[in-house]
Amino acid sequence: MLYRSVGKTGLNPVERARQHSITLDKPAINFFAGAVLGNGGMGVVVTTRPDAVQFHFGHNKVWDIRIAEDYQDETGTFEEIINRVKALPPGLKSIRDDKWFDDYFNKMSANYSKPYPRPFPCGTVVLGFDRRQVELLGHRIDISTGLCEVYLLNGSLRNTFQLFADMTADEVWFRLVDEQRRPVPSCFNRLRVIPDTRTPGEFPKHTVTEDASLGFTQTLPCQEPDNYDPVKGHPHDRAFRLEARLNQTLANGLRHPSSGLDEPLRPMERYIVADGKPFTGCIALTEGLATDVKRDGVNIPEPTKEQYDNAFRHTVASWTEYWNKSGVALADTFLEEIWYRNHYFFNCAVKDGAICPGLFANWSLGNIGTAWHGDYHMNYNTQQPFWLPFSSNRLDKNLPYIDLVYHLLPVSEKWAKEYYRMRGAFFPHSAYPVQMTHHPYPVPDWGWEVFETPWTVQGLWWHYLYSMDTDFLRNRAFYPVKQAVLFLVDYMTRPDAHGPQWNDGKYHIFPSVPPELYSLKPGFKYNYDTQTDITLTRFIFKAYLEAVNTLKYDTQEAATVKDVKRILANMPDYSTVKSEKYGEIYTSVPGETDRMVYNLPANLIHVFPGEEYGIDVPEDVRQKLLNTYRTHRNEGGNDIVTLSVIGARLGILDVEKFKRQVNYCLLPNKTAADMCMQSGGRYDDGSDFDFMAPMGIWFENFALPLVVNECLMQSYNGTIRLYPNWDRTKDAEFSTLRAVGAFLVSSRLTGGNVEYVRILSEKGQPCRLKNPWGDAAVRLTRNGIPAETLTGELLAFKTKVGETVEMVSESRSASG
């Protein structure tokens, strides 16, 4: 029988990305209409007015680093607080109706109610022009290279203002070109640098630079106002400097306001002298310890064409490397846009070596980007964007999250030891990228969400599963996972959680709070054995046991392994309730009805991210899952990624409905905001359904491409499935999506037929593939050499390190 080797995929991710540029054909006067740029540390939003171009700067490492850590002596211990709560009358309508608890709650919340820590906006640079001569037409971002072009009509000539965020330095470069891309003289007449207008009055006054460049340096105090001496400062103060320089002559002068009285130009404002020289410029953002930033001084050189070209060349190379890690080509244009544009935003926000982004990443202006401190929320918000690097084959993008886990470890271990009197680590509900000596959210509501501890370390285990890097497992993943496990073992073996009062011999998770629901209730109603607690605890227990086996730690971990196995064998069942309309469904917590309006899909977390159930579960379980999915009501805001992945994992996601929801959430800059979907839960008919949109650029929703990945390929249980939630009447192709087991998978679907499958094995692991041709015989080639034929619905075969295995249906290879 003749066999034809499958040719290399024609998919070029760089070219596909180029097809999905982000454009606006009018001035983008609003922050959320502006062009979104970044290099993973520095973030820039470029807004355009009819008379100017503005650059608004932020940075993942620039924060108001002040932190309040009051009331430590009044925090008490977990045992003391829970005993007081147990003594409260269970008939209270709200637990805060008790004066003692309300006073305690307010004290424990007081630190979080301060306006700091928060991301600190780094200022704005304005390039103005005379709109009698120049008209602004719109802008376009080529996401394949990160190049933004602002289109101008200069008299009768079209000029293009080209700019980009340097991927190798915290700088923005720009130039002006004509229609043939030839550099031309400036059409701009004014340069101004503006510190953020909401800089706290108690901060040291910024220092100004007004010579060859314009800019300022702002100190960020490390102490609260009552303790800080702005004259002496503090060795731990941080600072940043924003400076702009042109290859043009700058001149002082007068401005002519409507009062009719001429005034001097404002600080850090100059006119640009027209001298016929091709226009080039650079804006640099420097951050670090205040002593270092001030010592280094202003050092931005005069911009030249050679510097611009060199920076752009390195930036294009960086973007090309990023895009070539994986790609998709879909008949569905909107899904393809979602995939490429959100990968673009993700690369703008995250990079190895930079601080992990908070809720709104590295973009801020005034109060934009500061809601909820712009911090780390560990009950899904922080984790969600870091679900993307695994299947999208960008594991380096998960490293800032791992660094965050290690940043949180000291305060988490301290809290477990001193508050809970337990081993291991209890990770906080909210946290900051600043030095913390006390739990930042010691409030007995969301601060008692036990599931946040296993959820925080889950991504470390995924990193191992998708890379099979045992050195990473040993040196980076195992310790935080073990610390989470030790805490959970101690917490679940307390007499309160395992004793005769339960009448079942099980190890319970008590107390806890379901995600975004109920808070702490009188009598602990809805405060035990939440689905999220059970599934994520099971997940991390199983991960720990597998890690011990992989690393051959059986002897040294024997005692903990014994405890974990005993608890795993005796964990509570997931709670269910009978729905009159839908049948038996899962609930987020025992005692819940089928009428709940959720925020997170808390009654389906065991599908994802718990990964306990999926498309191939037993029929009785599957029916309950389908019933639950159909019953589920979600108020929106926190569901667009998670609930959609759950649907894809069950093979029932309505992709068209998903697309409509994404479109509903899109802002003019093409990022997706958190938007409300229905009233009846925390929102009512008077709620602004877009109230979260102006808070900032929602970093978490950059995980949207994960939904597309899950429709194209799934591997969470070690078996690769192709097109499990894809309409096979629509063509699709993907290259080097990453699967569990360190496999890079490529495939093409044309006319309803899978043309080929190509799997690169990085670590030589055994591979399991659900036969994409049903039960037809499948012919393999290994590194281009014809090999064995496999049959059956499940294809299992061994691989070698670095081996490429190609597969086609034998019937297709014969016909070819």
Side-chain angles (χ1 to χ4, degrees), residues 787-804:
E788 69 269 38
T789 297
L790 302 177
T791 59
E793 294 185 356
L794 181 65
L795 309 177
F797 52 94
K798 295 180 180 180
T799 69
K800 297 179 180 178
V801 174
E803 183 178 42
T804 297

Side-chain angles (χ1 to χ4, degrees), residues 681-757:
R682 293 183 299 184
Y683 311 131
D684 61 28
D685 293 330
S687 299
D688 291 330
F689 270 40
D690 63 349
F691 79 97
M692 289 180 281
M695 291 180 176
I697 294 174
W698 283 91
F699 175 51
E700 65 194 50
N701 290 333
F702 298 167
L704 280 167
L706 174 65
V707 180
V708 180
N709 291 353
E710 291 291 326
C711 291
L712 296 172
M713 184 194 76
Q714 296 177 16
S715 67
Y716 67 94
N717 63 356
T719 297
I720 299 170
R721 288 176 174 268
L722 301 180
Y723 312 105
N725 199 112
W726 190 259
D727 179 353
R728 293 201 173 207
T729 66
K730 295 183 177 180
D731 292 352
E733 183 177 9
F734 60 88
S735 65
T736 56
L737 294 184
R738 182 173 286 270
V740 167
F743 299 109
L744 300 183
V745 184
S746 305
S747 180
R748 182 163 58 234
L749 177 73
T750 306
N753 298 309
V754 177
E755 290 194 11
Y756 73 89
V757 181

Side-chain angles (χ1 to χ4, degrees), residues 439-686:
H439 193 292
Y441 194 84
V443 187
D445 58 352
W446 314 131
W448 275 12
E449 289 180 333
V450 176
F451 63 81
E452 297 193 40
T453 287
W455 208 341
T456 296
V457 300
Q458 182 183 44
L460 280 69
W461 179 246
W462 273 337
H463 194 107
Y464 166 69
L465 285 183
Y466 283 83
S467 69
M468 301 308 291
D469 184 340
T470 53
D471 288 336
F472 170 83
L473 177 61
R474 179 181 297 105
N475 299 323
R476 296 289 282 166
F478 185 75
Y479 182 78
V481 167
K482 179 181 175 180
Q483 293 305 98
V485 166
L486 288 174
F487 175 82
L488 292 166
V489 166
D490 286 359
Y491 195 76
M492 296 176 70
T493 54
R494 295 163 30 245
D496 270 355
H498 177 71
Q501 72 274 24
W502 295 95
N503 296 316
D504 59 6
K506 307 249 183 219
Y507 293 90
H508 296 268
I509 302 176
F510 166 81
S512 190
V513 179
E516 305 285 343
L517 293 172
Y518 304 118
S519 186
L520 195 63
K521 303 293 286 185
F524 299 105
K525 185 179 182 182
Y526 307 131
N527 293 132
Y528 67 96
D529 295 344
T530 80
Q531 184 188 111
T532 308
D533 284 304
I534 293 171
T535 189
L536 292 176
T537 297
R538 280 180 174 159
F539 182 101
I540 215 62
F541 278 175
K542 292 174 181 177
Y544 166 78
L545 294 177
E546 189 173 338
V548 168
N549 183 60
T550 299
L551 297 174
K552 304 187 187 311
Y553 285 174
D554 307 73
T555 300
Q556 66 197 66
E557 297 294 323
T560 305
V561 166
K562 182 178 179 181
D563 289 338
V564 168
K565 287 182 175 179
R566 184 178 71 253
I567 296 171
L568 266 176
N570 294 279
M571 288 188 70
D573 297 327
Y574 293 119
S575 56
T576 62
V577 72
K578 190 79 168 181
S579 167
E580 183 176 337
K581 182 175 182 180
Y582 293 95
E584 188 176 9
I585 66 169
Y586 290 104
T587 62
S588 74
V589 67
E592 189 173 77
T593 72
D594 64 342
R595 298 183 297 275
M596 191 65 198
V597 177
Y598 294 94
N599 183 270
L600 276 176
N603 62 342
L604 284 162
I605 296 293
H606 49 5
V607 176
F608 183 82
E611 298 197 323
E612 197 160 353
Y613 299 137
I615 202 168
D616 53 358
V617 295
E619 183 54 35
D620 60 331
V621 175
R622 179 170 175 78
Q623 191 58 56
K624 282 189 286 187
L625 292 170
L626 297 180
N627 294 346
T628 307
Y629 189 83
R630 291 161 181 157
T631 307
H632 186 86
R633 295 194 297 167
N634 199 290
E635 65 190 11
N638 301 335
D639 68 318
I640 190 170
V641 173
T642 310
L643 189 57
S644 300
V645 173
I646 289 168
R649 286 284 176 92
L650 295 175
I652 58 172
L653 174 66
D654 184 334
V655 174
E656 295 302 315
K657 187 174 182 180
F658 164 70
K659 289 161 54 182
R660 289 191 291 271
Q661 184 178 359
V662 173
N663 190 51
Y664 165 63
C665 295
L666 286 183
L667 300 178
N669 60 16
K670 302 307 178 183
T671 65
D674 280 4
M675 301 280 278
C676 301
M677 295 295 289
Q678 74 166 82
S679 62
R682 293 183 299 184
Y683 311 131
D684 61 28
D685 293 330

Side-chain angles (χ1 to χ4, degrees), residues 158 205 234 487 538:
R158 290 181 67 96
K205 179 69 175 176
H234 190 280
F487 175 82
R538 280 180 174 159

Side-chain angles (χ1 to χ4, degrees), residues 38-43 58-61 170 347-351 354 362:
N39 66 6
M42 174 187 71
H59 201 287
N60 282 327
K61 292 181 70 175
D170 288 339
N347 197 34
C348 290
V350 184
K351 70 177 177 181
N362 46 354

